[in-house]
Amino acid sequence: MKHIFFLVLLAITIPLTLQGQQKVVTGTVKDLNGVLPGAAVTEKGLPTNGAIVDADGRFRLTLKGSSNTLIVKLIGFTQQQVSVAGRSSVDVVLQPSNQGLDEVVVVGFNQVKRITNTGAVSAISGSEIRNVPTANVQNALMGKLPGFVSQQRSGQPGKDASDFFIRGVSSLNSDGNKPLIIVDDIEYSYDQLQQINVNEIESISILKDASTTAIYGIKGANGVLVVTTRRGKAGQPQVNVRVESGQQSPVKTPVFLDSYNTAVLVNEAYKNDGLLPKFTDQDLKLFKNGKDPYGHPNINWYNAIFKKHSYQTNSNIDVSGGTEAVKYFISGGFLTQNGLVRDFSDPRNEVNTNYFFRRYNFRSNLDMQATKTLNLRLDLTTRFGDINQPHDANVVSEVYNFEKIHPYSAPLINPNGSYAYAADTKDALPTLNARLANGGYSRSKRTDFNALFGATQQLGFLTKGLSLTGRVAYAGIEQYSRNLFRGAQPPSYYYNPVDGSYTLDPRGFYRLQPYAVTGNTDLYSRNVNTQVFLTYNRSFGDHNFNGLALYNRQSTTSMADIPANFRGFSFKAGYNYKEKYLIDFNGALNGSDRFQAAKRNGFFPALGVGWNLSQEKFFAPWSNAISLLKLRGSYGVVGSDVTTGNRYLYRQEYVAGGGYSFGENDTQAGTIYEGDLGSPNVTWEKARKADVGLDMNLFKDRLSITVDYFHDIRFDQLVQKGSVPTILGVGFGPTNVAKTSNQGFDGQINYRATVRQWNFNSSLVFQYFKNKVLYKDEAAPAYPWLRQTGLPIDQPFGYHYIGFYSQEDIAKIQSDAKDKPATPLSEYPIQAGDLKYQDMNGDGVIDNNDQRAIGKPNLANTVLGLTLGAQYKGFSVSLLFQGSFGYSFSVVGTGIETFQSQFQPIHQERWTPETADHAAFPRLTSNPTTINSARTYMSDFWLIDARYIRLKTLDFGYQLSSKALPKQLNNARLYVSAYNLFTWTNYKKYQQDPEVSSNSAGDAYINQRVINVGLQIGFK
């Protein structure tokens, strides 16, 4: 009996004891943008003991082992291990990732897992760029995606979107280098892309090789940027609100010399030109001591016109959720960017003449399960944008322009409050502040509307894995401009401090003219796209098949033109065995009405193969260290129909000309003249693309490596023939006459580590490309160094600088010595201190025949991006350093040349007899077309082989723990972010941003640095 009682007692107490040893852990799973329903939480060492995160982002799990560690997984995010020792509740914050074996990347009309992908694809999650404080998607991608290279040419509000390319450029046709842009499988223009709110984006992929772009056929040669927008998930409504405000300031502020130092250099230049000094010693004294601010003004016009900073704000709200029957994602946003120009306006005018940009976004994405086998989709998007700028004025250019204003020309305001004018300049214009106050504005108002309706019918009754999808998409763009301006300049006066008199400006207006208003329709386009495609995805044991057959038609109408039409068929066929041996065949048969019927359509095939070595049996000994080792390669042909010139290149063009006068009464009649000749054989450009890639994941996916080598041949390029003499008197449209190559490599290395409660991540993005002109239809050059064939695309040409003419050189020139240096044929005699160039052909004359290839093209051929991130409890920090190398740029005219540009510190380093050994600038002259002019004589003296490194983005934030939040909230994050925070360059000659457009005045609106503060809140 005692034994029976003991056994019963033991049977009762053991389970109670074991139950007492078990531990219940609760928590939430989030990313930086909110909760993450659907994440899997398991106990380390017991993979069958797990829980799924609910719609509120919460989970509850009873631990049964002794590891006290949770493993949290969700596709698209880095797996994370969380210690719960001594804790019963945790907040887990996951980091975005696309480097896991099962991570999905978006390609053309489909998605593929990284482990089975055979193409060259780079991808990024929208959450990784959502906190970058810039108005444009493409500005946030530089240094983040291998193969993506961009240049931000302007910082003007509403016009600051970067130009971007995929794997550089490969066509001599500049318009033909722009990538195809696809948003939710519908083609977008550059303008439409920069209107998208980043808050709406789920992911971005760039497709780089033929295997991934052949499905787009005639549009795929330049690579494809694919954007997918966010969609709802089943669950209770989730509301996210983001409010942020940022301060903008120029990345680089130009420094100009004051009146005294400018006047000293002006006198020196006049002396060099054999002229009397402009300023007396008394003038110089008054400029220096500032005792005569009206008679001898000293105005820094940049500081007088521009503020040190302006503000931008960005607000977004989105709601998502639904049931299995209806899921929704609805988003609205408002962005405003203000300009840097000071407010000079008369309050009574109520006219905003500053720069600004306003954008309003709305998106609704609905997914409906109409029946068990039929899914419906309806996407509606509307975007409104307003861009404002001073009427008929490039303010930065005017501030740079010495011909318009000098620092000593006039005071900002006369003593009696009237406006002054630049009496010492040719145009004698009222000062810039006067014209900004009264000159009015130019404003464009743009509306984009997109609608997409789609239906997917599962055809399982025919065969398992087959489905049919149909889509109709409509895109409409309307842009109108409004100009409010005065017909004449505002009254302005010259004030004479000697007698206190005021003299009206030469135009003689005593009062302001009334405002006039004009308007125009700048853009009115309609785009209708129809798609029907069959998809197939099925497995038979270890054999996995997938396929796609697509019919695609697009019709675009712009203004009053007849529609431009595109139509084609595309297909995919893929197979893999055990995710080990992979093969994909893609192709398209399509064309556009740009070419005549016989040359309209082309067939573009591509093949991709892959071998996953890590799945092989012989690889088993290394499987713990290397979870993925995959080799892949692709080859194919894709095309491009984008070019300048007449829309129908095969037709003769006739152009309406001006009036023709005849008869006694001077009767005017319109004329028509012969334009570019048509070419019946013209057709699309073609590109043969080869790519070899390697994908590796090591150390339980903590380290991942992707590297690609590519080699493209672009032929039948649509460019103008250069060998046709102009004596023919008629132009030729673009024809298929050029061939280039482009090769290089790109890749990404990611590493993550966890040390106790610290999570670290880093990513190195790298890319290098080198292109070459294999054939160009150019006129036979007089000398081999003038030939462009064999050089990089857009190779700059100019003179080779070999120093300054010395006084000894001038003596030889004047005495006509046999060994005298070569000189140009110019009305201005060469002087000591002028730039000296190499006489390439040895004829003693510097002319066009002495030009040669100098420097490098303006697009960086090497781009690096290093992202460093860390997370501790609720704190997170991420930095992106981006560098561009292997490019050149020059600045001409008002950007650098004396008496065209304001005098700058570099001009103080000019050549003089005393500084001949170390001068950094030629002698000063007031003549604009001497051999020292960068615009007239471009040389490698002016061309900078540039490089730069930027702290491109920074994000530092704190995510409040769930315990600290009210019940109504499931997420709250405070953050500070920055864009273009610091820049390091290798040049001092120029004061422009390193992304300035080469061979320009460099007077675009300066790129902006943004420091931003934001709050993000998530509601249940």
Side-chain angles (χ1 to χ4, degrees):
M1 188 67 182
K2 290 181 179 180
H3 295 292
I4 295 174
F5 176 77
F6 178 75
L7 290 174
V8 171
L9 182 63
L10 190 63
I12 294 173
T13 56
I14 287 178
L16 291 174
T17 302
L18 292 175
Q19 185 175 357
Q21 291 177 344
Q22 291 179 336
K23 177 180 179 180
V24 176
V25 178
T26 61
T28 61
V29 179
K30 311 173 185 177
D31 68 353
L32 298 183
N33 297 284
V35 298
L36 294 173
V41 182
T42 59
E43 183 178 3
K44 185 176 181 179
L46 295 173
T48 58
N49 183 31
I52 301 297
V53 175
D54 65 19
D56 293 331
R58 300 182 181 277
F59 69 88
R60 178 186 176 90
L61 181 63
T62 301
L63 301 185
K64 299 179 180 179
S66 57
S67 67
N68 274 321
T69 302
L70 303 180
I71 297 177
V72 185
K73 296 181 181 179
L74 181 63
I75 290 179
F77 294 86
T78 300
Q79 174 183 308
Q80 192 170 135
Q81 293 190 24
V82 182
S83 173
V84 293
R87 296 189 291 171
S88 60
S89 178
V90 291
D91 279 342
V92 182
V93 181
L94 296 183
Q95 301 295 319
S97 170
N98 63 341
Q99 298 301 313
L101 303 184
D102 294 323
E103 307 301 351
V104 173
V105 293
V106 178
V107 293
F109 306 97
N110 203 356
Q111 295 180 337
V112 295
K113 293 194 297 184
R114 182 169 180 255
I115 195 173
T116 59
N117 175 44
T118 61
V121 183
S122 301
I124 191 170
S125 167
S127 60
E128 292 187 63
I129 59 174
R130 212 159 284 155
N131 288 341
V132 178
T134 179
N136 299 284
V137 176
Q138 55 264 54
N139 290 356
L141 299 178
M142 186 69 158
K144 285 282 192 180
L145 289 171
F148 183 95
V149 57
S150 69
Q151 290 174 308
Q152 186 179 351
R153 301 298 199 184
S154 170
Q156 180 180 336
K159 297 183 178 181
D160 59 350
S162 300
D163 296 331
F164 66 94
F165 309 93
I166 294 177
R167 288 182 166 174
V169 296
S170 57
S171 177
L172 294 173
N173 162 24
S174 58
D175 287 349
N177 285 306
K178 293 182 178 180
L180 176 66
I181 299 168
I182 300 294
V183 179
D184 289 336
D185 290 330
I186 304 299
E187 182 177 349
Y188 268 42
S189 66
Y190 263 54
D191 289 343
Q192 289 173 299
L193 176 67
Q194 68 188 50
Q195 298 294 326
I196 292 180
N197 188 336
V198 180
N199 191 62
E200 302 170 4
I201 295 176
E202 178 68 29
S203 67
I204 297 175
S205 302
I206 59 171
L207 316 181
K208 300 180 285 188
D209 68 333
S211 177
T212 54
T213 62
I215 195 168
Y216 299 102
I218 201 171
K219 294 176 177 287
N222 305 315
V224 185
L225 184 141
V226 180
V227 178
T228 58
T229 59
R230 298 166 68 184
R231 312 201 71 82
K233 299 177 182 178
Q236 68 182 55
Q238 299 288 328
V239 181
N240 290 294
V241 177
R242 182 196 303 271
V243 180
E244 55 188 30
S245 180
Q247 183 186 87
Q248 304 174 95
S249 58
V251 168
K252 195 175 188 69
T253 301
V255 176
F256 300 126
L257 300 185
D258 61 12
S259 291
Y260 169 75
N261 286 290
T262 297
V264 168
L265 297 185
V266 167
N267 276 356
E268 182 179 318
Y270 276 38
K271 180 181 178 182
N272 291 340
D273 294 337
L275 304 174
L276 294 175
K278 183 178 178 65
F279 302 103
T280 66
D281 291 341
Q282 180 64 17
D283 290 329
L284 296 177
K285 181 179 179 181
L286 290 172
F287 282 137
K288 191 170 187 177
N289 62 31
K291 291 183 178 181
D292 183 19
Y294 294 101
H296 293 77
N298 180 22
I299 307 296
N300 183 320
W301 286 104
Y302 181 88
N303 291 341
I305 298 300
F306 290 101
K307 299 178 289 187
K308 293 186 180 299
H309 56 260
S310 62
Y311 293 95
Q312 71 175 38
T313 60
N314 189 15
S315 302
N316 294 283
I317 181 171
D318 60 74
V319 184
S320 62
T323 65
E324 292 300 330
V326 179
K327 295 186 281 288
Y328 56 86
F329 172 81
I330 301 172
S331 173
F334 169 64
L335 171 79
T336 176
Q337 290 178 313
N338 293 320
L340 285 168
V341 174
R342 297 181 185 274
D343 184 7
F344 300 107
S345 62
D346 185 336
R348 295 169 295 179
N349 288 338
E350 297 182 351
V351 174
N352 189 339
T353 62
N354 200 349
Y355 296 92
F356 70 71
F357 176 50
R358 311 279 187 266
R359 187 180 68 196
Y360 308 84
N361 297 78
F362 171 79
R363 174 178 289 274
S364 171
N365 288 351
L366 300 179
D367 296 286
M368 295 156 281
Q369 189 75 40
T371 70
K372 289 184 178 180
T373 60
L374 176 63
N375 298 309
L376 302 179
R377 165 183 175 178
L378 178 63
D379 299 351
L380 298 174
T381 309
T382 302
R383 300 177 292 274
F384 305 96
D386 293 345
I387 298 177
N388 196 82
Q389 60 189 42
H391 177 70
D392 197 27
N394 179 341
V395 180
V396 179
S397 177
E398 291 225 8
V399 167
Y400 266 97
N401 195 336
F402 190 76
E403 294 183 352
K404 292 283 184 70
I405 194 74
H406 312 144
Y408 45 73
S409 290
L412 197 66
I413 293 289
N414 285 324
N416 67 349
S418 63
Y419 293 121
Y421 69 94
D424 61 347
T425 64
K426 176 182 177 181
D427 296 331
L429 291 173
T431 55
L432 184 53
N433 58 301
R435 288 180 282 129
L436 287 172
N438 299 280
Y441 61 76
S442 296
R443 184 174 301 168
S444 65
K445 302 179 75 69
R446 174 177 172 133
T447 301
D448 289 63
F449 176 74
N450 295 73
L452 184 152
F453 176 75
T456 300
Q457 175 66 56
Q458 303 297 324
L459 300 178
F461 61 90
L462 295 178
T463 183
K464 185 179 178 182
L466 184 67
S467 63
L468 174 67
T469 299
R471 292 177 185 159
V472 178
Y474 170 84
I477 304 174
E478 298 179 11
Q479 181 172 307
Y480 305 97
S481 61
R482 170 187 168 93
N483 300 291
L484 186 145
F485 59 96
R486 300 186 191 274
Q489 301 291 354
S492 56
Y493 299 85
Y494 169 72
Y495 169 67
N496 187 342
V498 176
D499 59 10
S501 63
Y502 290 85
T503 304
L504 184 65
D505 72 61
R507 282 158 291 275
F509 293 107
Y510 284 94
R511 60 168 51 185
L512 287 170
Q513 299 295 303
Y515 278 118
V517 179
T518 62
N520 188 52
T521 300
D522 302 323
L523 182 62
Y524 185 89
S525 70
R526 299 289 182 265
N527 190 336
V528 178
N529 184 266
T530 305
Q531 301 172 1
V532 179
F533 54 94
L534 281 167
T535 56
Y536 181 71
N537 201 327
R538 190 171 179 182
S539 298
F540 299 90
D542 295 330
H543 303 274
N544 306 294
F545 297 87
N546 65 84
L548 179 145
L550 165 73
Y551 169 77
N552 190 5
R553 187 181 190 282
Q554 182 172 306
S555 180
T556 304
T557 305
S558 178
M559 306 297 280
D561 293 341
I562 61 175
N565 297 309
F566 164 87
R567 183 177 63 187
F569 301 89
S570 302
F571 67 89
K572 287 184 177 183
Y575 165 78
N576 75 75
Y577 174 70
K578 290 185 175 180
E579 297 184 339
K580 180 171 25 176
Y581 308 118
L582 318 167
I583 185 168
D584 291 295
F585 185 57
N586 305 271
L589 176 64
N590 53 24
S592 73
D593 63 1
R594 178 149 214 173
F595 313 110
Q596 69 162 340
K599 299 287 185 177
R600 184 165 296 165
N601 297 302
F603 178 60
F604 306 94
L607 177 69
V609 296
W611 179 24
N612 192 347
L613 283 77
S614 52
Q615 299 291 91
E616 297 285 2
K617 291 183 179 179
F618 65 76
F619 206 84
W622 300 282
S623 60
N624 288 333
I626 305 176
S627 53
L628 173 66
L629 177 59
K630 183 178 68 174
L631 297 174
R632 51 183 169 77
S634 67
Y635 181 80
V637 178
V638 285
S640 172
D641 67 338
V642 181
T643 186
T644 56
N646 180 26
R647 175 173 151 192
Y648 300 111
L649 298 176
Y650 58 92
R651 295 196 321 186
Q652 170 65 56
E653 185 178 16
Y654 296 93
V655 183
Y660 180 80
S661 176
F662 67 95
E664 295 181 358
N665 298 324
D666 190 26
T667 304
Q668 294 286 323
T671 61
I672 296 176
Y673 66 91
E674 189 178 39
D676 291 345
L677 295 177
S679 175
N681 296 317
V682 69
T683 185
W684 18 261
E685 295 186 2
K686 307 170 191 70
R688 290 194 294 265
K689 290 177 173 285
D691 187 281
V692 178
L694 169 69
D695 298 325
M696 293 182 66
N697 278 28
L698 298 89
F699 314 125
K700 298 183 179 180
D701 296 343
R702 288 195 295 270
L703 176 66
S704 62
I705 302 172
T706 295
V707 182
D708 282 85
Y709 167 78
F710 61 91
H711 189 181
D712 301 346
I713 300 292
R714 188 77 165 257
F715 58 104
D716 285 348
Q717 293 183 27
L718 290 165
V719 295
Q720 300 281 346
K721 298 185 72 172
S723 60
V724 179
T726 57
I727 196 173
L728 257 65
V730 65
F732 281 82
T735 53
N736 303 105
V737 291
K739 184 177 181 180
T740 60
S741 68
N742 185 34
Q743 59 183 320
F745 57 87
D746 55 42
Q748 187 168 358
I749 302 173
N750 296 322
Y751 180 75
R752 61 179 177 84
T754 300
V755 180
R756 297 182 180 177
Q757 297 187 51
W758 284 89
N759 294 302
F760 300 95
N761 64 84
S762 62
S763 175
L764 175 64
V765 168
F766 54 91
Q767 58 182 303
Y768 169 81
F769 67 87
K770 182 178 181 180
N771 56 51
K772 182 178 180 181
V773 179
L774 300 179
Y775 173 75
K776 181 177 182 179
D777 186 68
E778 56 182 323
Y783 299 97
W785 55 82
L786 298 174
R787 187 179 300 276
Q788 298 179 45
T789 300
L791 299 176
I793 297 171
D794 295 326
Q795 169 67 51
F797 276 73
Y799 300 97
H800 176 50
Y801 160 74
I802 56 175
F804 297 102
Y805 285 100
S806 66
Q807 293 173 328
E808 182 182 356
D809 291 331
I810 302 304
K812 290 181 178 180
I813 293 170
Q814 292 174 346
S815 64
D816 198 24
K818 290 184 178 181
D819 61 342
K820 69 177 181 179
T823 59
L825 298 175
S826 170
E827 61 179 301
Y828 303 112
I830 294 297
Q831 295 188 34
D834 285 338
L835 296 176
K836 183 165 61 172
Y837 303 131
Q838 182 179 3
D839 182 13
M840 294 291 295
N841 61 0
D843 65 354
V845 177
I846 300 299
D847 57 19
N848 289 340
N849 290 326
D850 297 306
Q851 294 190 23
R852 49 171 271 189
I854 56 173
K856 302 169 184 175
N858 191 220
L859 183 67
N861 69 4
T862 304
V863 177
L864 300 176
L866 176 62
T867 300
L868 301 174
Q871 176 191 332
Y872 175 75
K873 295 184 177 179
F875 292 96
S876 62
V877 62
S878 177
L879 299 93
L880 168 62
F881 293 92
Q882 177 259 313
S884 291
F885 311 87
Y887 75 105
S888 297
F889 77 87
S890 63
V891 174
V892 301
T894 56
I896 188 66
E897 298 180 40
T898 55
F899 289 85
Q900 296 183 59
S901 164
Q902 301 292 342
F903 281 85
Q904 305 175 33
I906 186 66
H907 297 141
Q908 293 180 309
E909 301 182 46
R910 78 286 184 196
W911 186 97
T912 66
E914 294 75 27
T915 64
D917 294 335
H918 57 271
F921 200 84
R923 73 173 179 93
L924 301 181
T925 175
S926 61
N927 295 323
T929 59
T930 68
I931 200 170
N932 298 324
S933 169
R935 192 184 298 277
T936 309
Y937 290 86
M938 174 50 61
S939 72
D940 47 14
F941 175 84
W942 303 106
L943 203 66
I944 300 291
D945 285 339
R947 56 184 178 271
Y948 72 87
I949 296 174
R950 288 196 199 274
L951 177 50
K952 190 72 175 179
T953 64
L954 178 147
D955 182 85
F956 176 75
Y958 177 68
Q959 199 152 22
L960 278 69
S961 68
S962 299
K963 292 181 179 179
L965 298 176
K967 289 185 178 181
Q968 303 93 308
L969 302 182
N970 58 21
N971 183 61
R973 183 174 186 263
L974 292 164
Y975 57 92
V976 176
S977 57
Y979 175 72
N980 283 346
L981 192 57
F982 297 109
T983 303
W984 297 270
T985 63
N986 69 321
Y987 60 87
K988 296 188 297 182
K989 182 173 292 185
Y990 299 126
Q991 300 194 69
Q992 282 80 3
D993 184 80
E995 295 185 72
V996 65
S997 180
S998 185
N999 206 31
S1000 71
D1003 54 7
Y1005 195 105
I1006 301 172
N1007 284 347
Q1008 299 293 290
R1009 173 190 299 114
V1010 182
I1011 300 176
N1012 191 63
V1013 178
L1015 170 65
Q1016 179 186 323
I1017 300 174
F1019 297 88
K1020 299 179 183 179

